[in-house]
Each structure stands twice: as C-alpha cells, then as structure tokens.
Amino acid sequence: MVDSDIYDILRSVKTIALVGASNKEDRPSYKVMKFLLEQGYDVIPVNPGMSGQTLLGQQCYASLKDIPVAVDMVDVFRQSDVALEIAKEAIEINAKVLWLQIGVINEDAKDLAEDAGLRVVMDRCPKKEIEAHGLPW
C-alpha cells in the first residue's frame, strides 16, 4: 500500500473499532487508542474481558458484532493467527477498512477482506502513519 492510500484512509474514516484494546497504560493499544481519540476519531474498544466497562470514556464491547453503530475501520491489536476471524467479522459488519497493526501479518485475512471490498493495511500503525504524514489536517 502506498502512502497516498494510507493518507486517504486516515482522512476518510471516522469510527474505528480497536480490537484488542487494553486498559493498561503502557500497552501499545492503549496509547494508540488515546492518540486516535485526541485526533478526533470515534474509537470503540473491543475486548471480551472488558465488555460493559469504559476505556478512555468509551463503552467497550465484546465483539465487533456487538457494536451498535457503523464502523469504518477495524484496527487489530491481536495475534496474527486470529486475524482471519477478525477479518470475517469486519466483513459481516460492513467495515470499509481492515487495519492490521505492526507485527500482525496474515495474508489469508488480507485476501479475504480485499475480496470482500475492504481496503487493507497490514503491519503498520495508524498513530505512526498520522505522525509521518503530518496529520491531522
């Protein structure tokens, strides 16, 4: 994926489901969620163990299908071997983008999501991309 595609994605999405959200402030998922909220995105934490709780002021859900609003992007902070299942859920909820974080690499998930019409970013971090592109805009 080229930088212009990533820039376009980051400018076009509003609501992000962050799968693998953590309430531990030293975890990358916590730091990225906080950063994305500060940039003006609506970020919905997804973590079965935290369902019903709030994280950074946001209601946490057990799974993507439990989220009651439309999701533009699914940002995945989970192991690569579960990315395919998350891609299937992202397709089911009609997300537009599947974003696999740094170190999350799953070609089957990428292919499945792309075949379903989702844009896919793999092995990159939206926080780092926003900082690299001089965003916000």
Side-chain angles (χ1 to χ4, degrees):
M1 177 155 295
V2 296
D3 286 347
S4 61
D5 292 331
I6 290 173
Y7 180 83
D8 183 54
I9 287 169
L10 293 170
R11 284 188 52 94
S12 65
V13 301
K14 173 106 174 93
T15 303
I16 301 171
L18 197 140
V19 179
S22 174
N23 59 359
K24 296 177 180 150
E25 294 182 22
D26 62 331
R27 300 292 297 266
S29 62
Y30 182 94
K31 293 175 183 177
V32 169
M33 181 176 168
K34 185 175 187 291
F35 177 84
L36 292 173
L37 286 167
E38 291 168 351
Q39 301 307 304
Y41 293 99
D42 295 326
V43 184
I44 302 167
V46 178
N47 181 325
M50 295 178 57
S51 180
Q53 300 175 38
T54 59
L55 177 59
L56 294 168
Q58 309 303 306
Q59 179 70 38
C60 193
Y61 295 92
S63 70
L64 292 174
K65 66 180 182 238
D66 295 330
I67 299 172
V69 297
V71 171
D72 300 316
M73 183 171 103
V74 175
D75 186 8
V76 181
F77 277 92
R78 294 285 314 276
Q79 297 295 323
S80 298
D81 60 345
V82 297
L84 182 59
E85 285 305 313
I86 296 168
K88 290 175 184 176
E89 290 181 29
I91 293 164
E92 288 176 23
I93 66 164
N94 296 312
K96 296 174 185 69
V97 178
L98 177 67
W99 191 299
L100 304 178
Q101 278 290 334
I102 294 172
V104 183
I105 301 169
N106 187 310
E107 292 295 333
D108 292 334
K110 177 183 179 289
D111 293 344
L112 181 71
E114 286 179 341
D115 289 347
L118 279 73
R119 298 172 81 180
V120 178
V121 180
M122 188 164 56
D123 196 27
R124 293 178 99 157
C125 175
K127 178 182 184 294
K128 290 183 178 186
E129 296 300 326
I130 288 168
E131 292 168 341
H133 291 291
L135 304 173
W137 34 88

PDB file of all heavy atoms in Angstrom, residues 102-124:
ATOM      1  N   ILE A 102       1.291  -3.258  13.497  1.00  0.00           N
ATOM      2  CA  ILE A 102       2.675  -3.697  13.316  1.00  0.00           C
ATOM      3  C   ILE A 102       2.837  -5.085  13.939  1.00  0.00           C
ATOM      4  O   ILE A 102       2.449  -5.310  15.084  1.00  0.00           O
ATOM      5  CB  ILE A 102       3.657  -2.697  13.940  1.00  0.00           C
ATOM      6  CG1 ILE A 102       3.588  -1.371  13.170  1.00  0.00           C
ATOM      7  CG2 ILE A 102       5.080  -3.257  13.953  1.00  0.00           C
ATOM      8  CD1 ILE A 102       4.363  -0.243  13.810  1.00  0.00           C
ATOM      9  N   GLY A 103       3.353  -6.013  13.158  1.00  0.00           N
ATOM     10  CA  GLY A 103       3.565  -7.375  13.611  1.00  0.00           C
ATOM     11  C   GLY A 103       2.387  -8.300  13.371  1.00  0.00           C
ATOM     12  O   GLY A 103       2.509  -9.506  13.537  1.00  0.00           O
ATOM     13  N   VAL A 104       1.245  -7.744  12.989  1.00  0.00           N
ATOM     14  CA  VAL A 104       0.066  -8.566  12.696  1.00  0.00           C
ATOM     15  C   VAL A 104       0.043  -8.781  11.182  1.00  0.00           C
ATOM     16  O   VAL A 104      -0.326  -7.880  10.424  1.00  0.00           O
ATOM     17  CB  VAL A 104      -1.240  -7.911  13.185  1.00  0.00           C
ATOM     18  CG1 VAL A 104      -2.419  -8.829  12.919  1.00  0.00           C
ATOM     19  CG2 VAL A 104      -1.142  -7.558  14.665  1.00  0.00           C
ATOM     20  N   ILE A 105       0.456  -9.956  10.771  1.00  0.00           N
ATOM     21  CA  ILE A 105       0.577 -10.280   9.346  1.00  0.00           C
ATOM     22  C   ILE A 105      -0.183 -11.569   9.082  1.00  0.00           C
ATOM     23  O   ILE A 105       0.121 -12.611   9.668  1.00  0.00           O
ATOM     24  CB  ILE A 105       2.056 -10.433   8.945  1.00  0.00           C
ATOM     25  CG1 ILE A 105       2.805  -9.123   9.233  1.00  0.00           C
ATOM     26  CG2 ILE A 105       2.177 -10.848   7.487  1.00  0.00           C
ATOM     27  CD1 ILE A 105       4.309  -9.235   9.139  1.00  0.00           C
ATOM     28  N   ASN A 106      -1.186 -11.467   8.205  1.00  0.00           N
ATOM     29  CA  ASN A 106      -1.975 -12.646   7.857  1.00  0.00           C
ATOM     30  C   ASN A 106      -2.489 -12.444   6.424  1.00  0.00           C
ATOM     31  O   ASN A 106      -3.431 -11.685   6.208  1.00  0.00           O
ATOM     32  CB  ASN A 106      -3.128 -12.829   8.842  1.00  0.00           C
ATOM     33  CG  ASN A 106      -3.873 -14.118   8.618  1.00  0.00           C
ATOM     34  OD1 ASN A 106      -4.265 -14.441   7.503  1.00  0.00           O
ATOM     35  ND2 ASN A 106      -4.095 -14.862   9.694  1.00  0.00           N
ATOM     36  N   GLU A 107      -1.832 -13.110   5.495  1.00  0.00           N
ATOM     37  CA  GLU A 107      -2.179 -12.952   4.079  1.00  0.00           C
ATOM     38  C   GLU A 107      -3.603 -13.450   3.779  1.00  0.00           C
ATOM     39  O   GLU A 107      -4.284 -12.883   2.931  1.00  0.00           O
ATOM     40  CB  GLU A 107      -1.164 -13.676   3.192  1.00  0.00           C
ATOM     41  CG  GLU A 107       0.215 -13.059   3.208  1.00  0.00           C
ATOM     42  CD  GLU A 107       0.286 -11.656   2.619  1.00  0.00           C
ATOM     43  OE1 GLU A 107      -0.553 -11.312   1.751  1.00  0.00           O
ATOM     44  OE2 GLU A 107       1.183 -10.891   3.033  1.00  0.00           O
ATOM     45  N   ASP A 108      -4.045 -14.515   4.463  1.00  0.00           N
ATOM     46  CA  ASP A 108      -5.408 -15.012   4.241  1.00  0.00           C
ATOM     47  C   ASP A 108      -6.436 -13.970   4.670  1.00  0.00           C
ATOM     48  O   ASP A 108      -7.439 -13.753   3.971  1.00  0.00           O
ATOM     49  CB  ASP A 108      -5.643 -16.323   5.005  1.00  0.00           C
ATOM     50  CG  ASP A 108      -4.820 -17.470   4.445  1.00  0.00           C
ATOM     51  OD1 ASP A 108      -4.473 -17.433   3.238  1.00  0.00           O
ATOM     52  OD2 ASP A 108      -4.525 -18.414   5.207  1.00  0.00           O
ATOM     53  N   ALA A 109      -6.204 -13.315   5.793  1.00  0.00           N
ATOM     54  CA  ALA A 109      -7.113 -12.255   6.252  1.00  0.00           C
ATOM     55  C   ALA A 109      -7.122 -11.100   5.262  1.00  0.00           C
ATOM     56  O   ALA A 109      -8.183 -10.566   4.921  1.00  0.00           O
ATOM     57  CB  ALA A 109      -6.698 -11.769   7.640  1.00  0.00           C
ATOM     58  N   LYS A 110      -5.948 -10.740   4.785  1.00  0.00           N
ATOM     59  CA  LYS A 110      -5.822  -9.653   3.800  1.00  0.00           C
ATOM     60  C   LYS A 110      -6.594  -9.995   2.534  1.00  0.00           C
ATOM     61  O   LYS A 110      -7.390  -9.192   2.038  1.00  0.00           O
ATOM     62  CB  LYS A 110      -4.346  -9.414   3.486  1.00  0.00           C
ATOM     63  CG  LYS A 110      -4.081  -8.373   2.424  1.00  0.00           C
ATOM     64  CD  LYS A 110      -2.580  -8.287   2.153  1.00  0.00           C
ATOM     65  CE  LYS A 110      -2.233  -7.294   1.079  1.00  0.00           C
ATOM     66  NZ  LYS A 110      -2.622  -7.723  -0.261  1.00  0.00           N
ATOM     67  N   ASP A 111      -6.364 -11.189   2.005  1.00  0.00           N
ATOM     68  CA  ASP A 111      -7.027 -11.600   0.764  1.00  0.00           C
ATOM     69  C   ASP A 111      -8.541 -11.667   0.918  1.00  0.00           C
ATOM     70  O   ASP A 111      -9.283 -11.197   0.050  1.00  0.00           O
ATOM     71  CB  ASP A 111      -6.500 -12.960   0.294  1.00  0.00           C
ATOM     72  CG  ASP A 111      -5.045 -12.906  -0.149  1.00  0.00           C
ATOM     73  OD1 ASP A 111      -4.511 -11.801  -0.392  1.00  0.00           O
ATOM     74  OD2 ASP A 111      -4.426 -13.987  -0.236  1.00  0.00           O
ATOM     75  N   LEU A 112      -9.007 -12.246   2.024  1.00  0.00           N
ATOM     76  CA  LEU A 112     -10.439 -12.353   2.262  1.00  0.00           C
ATOM     77  C   LEU A 112     -11.080 -10.976   2.338  1.00  0.00           C
ATOM     78  O   LEU A 112     -12.116 -10.721   1.706  1.00  0.00           O
ATOM     79  CB  LEU A 112     -10.708 -13.125   3.558  1.00  0.00           C
ATOM     80  CG  LEU A 112     -12.184 -13.323   3.909  1.00  0.00           C
ATOM     81  CD1 LEU A 112     -12.836 -14.315   2.960  1.00  0.00           C
ATOM     82  CD2 LEU A 112     -12.331 -13.767   5.352  1.00  0.00           C
ATOM     83  N   ALA A 113     -10.478 -10.071   3.095  1.00  0.00           N
ATOM     84  CA  ALA A 113     -11.028  -8.726   3.249  1.00  0.00           C
ATOM     85  C   ALA A 113     -11.014  -7.971   1.919  1.00  0.00           C
ATOM     86  O   ALA A 113     -12.011  -7.330   1.555  1.00  0.00           O
ATOM     87  CB  ALA A 113     -10.253  -7.968   4.319  1.00  0.00           C
ATOM     88  N   GLU A 114      -9.915  -8.052   1.202  1.00  0.00           N
ATOM     89  CA  GLU A 114      -9.839  -7.359  -0.094  1.00  0.00           C
ATOM     90  C   GLU A 114     -10.858  -7.922  -1.074  1.00  0.00           C
ATOM     91  O   GLU A 114     -11.512  -7.164  -1.811  1.00  0.00           O
ATOM     92  CB  GLU A 114      -8.430  -7.448  -0.667  1.00  0.00           C
ATOM     93  CG  GLU A 114      -7.460  -6.551   0.037  1.00  0.00           C
ATOM     94  CD  GLU A 114      -6.051  -6.629  -0.504  1.00  0.00           C
ATOM     95  OE1 GLU A 114      -5.692  -7.616  -1.194  1.00  0.00           O
ATOM     96  OE2 GLU A 114      -5.275  -5.705  -0.214  1.00  0.00           O
ATOM     97  N   ASP A 115     -11.027  -9.242  -1.084  1.00  0.00           N
ATOM     98  CA  ASP A 115     -12.017  -9.863  -1.975  1.00  0.00           C
ATOM     99  C   ASP A 115     -13.435  -9.405  -1.653  1.00  0.00           C
ATOM    100  O   ASP A 115     -14.301  -9.380  -2.524  1.00  0.00           O
ATOM    101  CB  ASP A 115     -11.933 -11.388  -1.911  1.00  0.00           C
ATOM    102  CG  ASP A 115     -10.670 -11.940  -2.577  1.00  0.00           C
ATOM    103  OD1 ASP A 115      -9.990 -11.180  -3.301  1.00  0.00           O
ATOM    104  OD2 ASP A 115     -10.367 -13.131  -2.354  1.00  0.00           O
ATOM    105  N   ALA A 116     -13.663  -9.040  -0.386  1.00  0.00           N
ATOM    106  CA  ALA A 116     -14.981  -8.558   0.041  1.00  0.00           C
ATOM    107  C   ALA A 116     -15.126  -7.049  -0.149  1.00  0.00           C
ATOM    108  O   ALA A 116     -16.162  -6.475   0.192  1.00  0.00           O
ATOM    109  CB  ALA A 116     -15.224  -8.929   1.499  1.00  0.00           C
ATOM    110  N   GLY A 117     -14.086  -6.398  -0.669  1.00  0.00           N
ATOM    111  CA  GLY A 117     -14.166  -4.971  -0.960  1.00  0.00           C
ATOM    112  C   GLY A 117     -13.593  -4.047   0.101  1.00  0.00           C
ATOM    113  O   GLY A 117     -13.693  -2.826  -0.036  1.00  0.00           O
ATOM    114  N   LEU A 118     -12.992  -4.604   1.142  1.00  0.00           N
ATOM    115  CA  LEU A 118     -12.378  -3.768   2.165  1.00  0.00           C
ATOM    116  C   LEU A 118     -10.984  -3.340   1.720  1.00  0.00           C
ATOM    117  O   LEU A 118     -10.299  -4.069   1.000  1.00  0.00           O
ATOM    118  CB  LEU A 118     -12.255  -4.514   3.499  1.00  0.00           C
ATOM    119  CG  LEU A 118     -13.485  -4.582   4.385  1.00  0.00           C
ATOM    120  CD1 LEU A 118     -14.517  -5.542   3.826  1.00  0.00           C
ATOM    121  CD2 LEU A 118     -13.080  -5.004   5.787  1.00  0.00           C
ATOM    122  N   ARG A 119     -10.585  -2.171   2.152  1.00  0.00           N
ATOM    123  CA  ARG A 119      -9.207  -1.750   1.974  1.00  0.00           C
ATOM    124  C   ARG A 119      -8.429  -2.334   3.144  1.00  0.00           C
ATOM    125  O   ARG A 119      -8.926  -2.368   4.272  1.00  0.00           O
ATOM    126  CB  ARG A 119      -9.119  -0.234   1.941  1.00  0.00           C
ATOM    127  CG  ARG A 119      -9.897   0.336   0.761  1.00  0.00           C
ATOM    128  CD  ARG A 119      -9.983   1.815   0.813  1.00  0.00           C
ATOM    129  NE  ARG A 119      -8.743   2.404   0.299  1.00  0.00           N
ATOM    130  CZ  ARG A 119      -8.541   3.716   0.220  1.00  0.00           C
ATOM    131  NH1 ARG A 119      -9.453   4.553   0.621  1.00  0.00           N
ATOM    132  NH2 ARG A 119      -7.402   4.170  -0.260  1.00  0.00           N
ATOM    133  N   VAL A 120      -7.209  -2.777   2.898  1.00  0.00           N
ATOM    134  CA  VAL A 120      -6.432  -3.450   3.942  1.00  0.00           C
ATOM    135  C   VAL A 120      -5.064  -2.795   4.080  1.00  0.00           C
ATOM    136  O   VAL A 120      -4.368  -2.555   3.096  1.00  0.00           O
ATOM    137  CB  VAL A 120      -6.266  -4.956   3.639  1.00  0.00           C
ATOM    138  CG1 VAL A 120      -5.419  -5.622   4.722  1.00  0.00           C
ATOM    139  CG2 VAL A 120      -7.615  -5.635   3.512  1.00  0.00           C
ATOM    140  N   VAL A 121      -4.712  -2.514   5.333  1.00  0.00           N
ATOM    141  CA  VAL A 121      -3.372  -2.058   5.684  1.00  0.00           C
ATOM    142  C   VAL A 121      -2.830  -3.114   6.637  1.00  0.00           C
ATOM    143  O   VAL A 121      -3.512  -3.506   7.582  1.00  0.00           O
ATOM    144  CB  VAL A 121      -3.398  -0.681   6.362  1.00  0.00           C
ATOM    145  CG1 VAL A 121      -1.987  -0.245   6.722  1.00  0.00           C
ATOM    146  CG2 VAL A 121      -4.081   0.351   5.472  1.00  0.00           C
ATOM    147  N   MET A 122      -1.619  -3.578   6.380  1.00  0.00           N
ATOM    148  CA  MET A 122      -1.056  -4.647   7.192  1.00  0.00           C
ATOM    149  C   MET A 122       0.352  -4.274   7.669  1.00  0.00           C
ATOM    150  O   MET A 122       1.134  -3.701   6.909  1.00  0.00           O
ATOM    151  CB  MET A 122      -1.013  -5.950   6.380  1.00  0.00           C
ATOM    152  CG  MET A 122      -0.615  -7.167   7.176  1.00  0.00           C
ATOM    153  SD  MET A 122      -0.997  -8.742   6.353  1.00  0.00           S
ATOM    154  CE  MET A 122      -0.158  -8.578   4.785  1.00  0.00           C
ATOM    155  N   ASP A 123       0.623  -4.594   8.941  1.00  0.00           N
ATOM    156  CA  ASP A 123       1.942  -4.408   9.540  1.00  0.00           C
ATOM    157  C   ASP A 123       2.328  -2.932   9.623  1.00  0.00           C
ATOM    158  O   ASP A 123       3.482  -2.563   9.418  1.00  0.00           O
ATOM    159  CB  ASP A 123       2.993  -5.215   8.770  1.00  0.00           C
ATOM    160  CG  ASP A 123       4.296  -5.384   9.544  1.00  0.00           C
ATOM    161  OD1 ASP A 123       4.259  -5.364  10.793  1.00  0.00           O
ATOM    162  OD2 ASP A 123       5.349  -5.525   8.895  1.00  0.00           O
ATOM    163  N   ARG A 124       1.315  -2.081   9.927  1.00  0.00           N
ATOM    164  CA  ARG A 124       1.567  -0.651  10.095  1.00  0.00           C
ATOM    165  C   ARG A 124       0.702  -0.125  11.232  1.00  0.00           C
ATOM    166  O   ARG A 124      -0.272  -0.762  11.617  1.00  0.00           O
ATOM    167  CB  ARG A 124       1.263   0.097   8.805  1.00  0.00           C
ATOM    168  CG  ARG A 124       2.242  -0.284   7.695  1.00  0.00           C
ATOM    169  CD  ARG A 124       1.945   0.398   6.429  1.00  0.00           C
ATOM    170  NE  ARG A 124       2.808   1.564   6.263  1.00  0.00           N
ATOM    171  CZ  ARG A 124       3.083   2.082   5.076  1.00  0.00           C
ATOM    172  NH1 ARG A 124       2.577   1.580   3.985  1.00  0.00           N
ATOM    173  NH2 ARG A 124       3.853   3.139   4.994  1.00  0.00           N
TER     174      ARG A 124
END
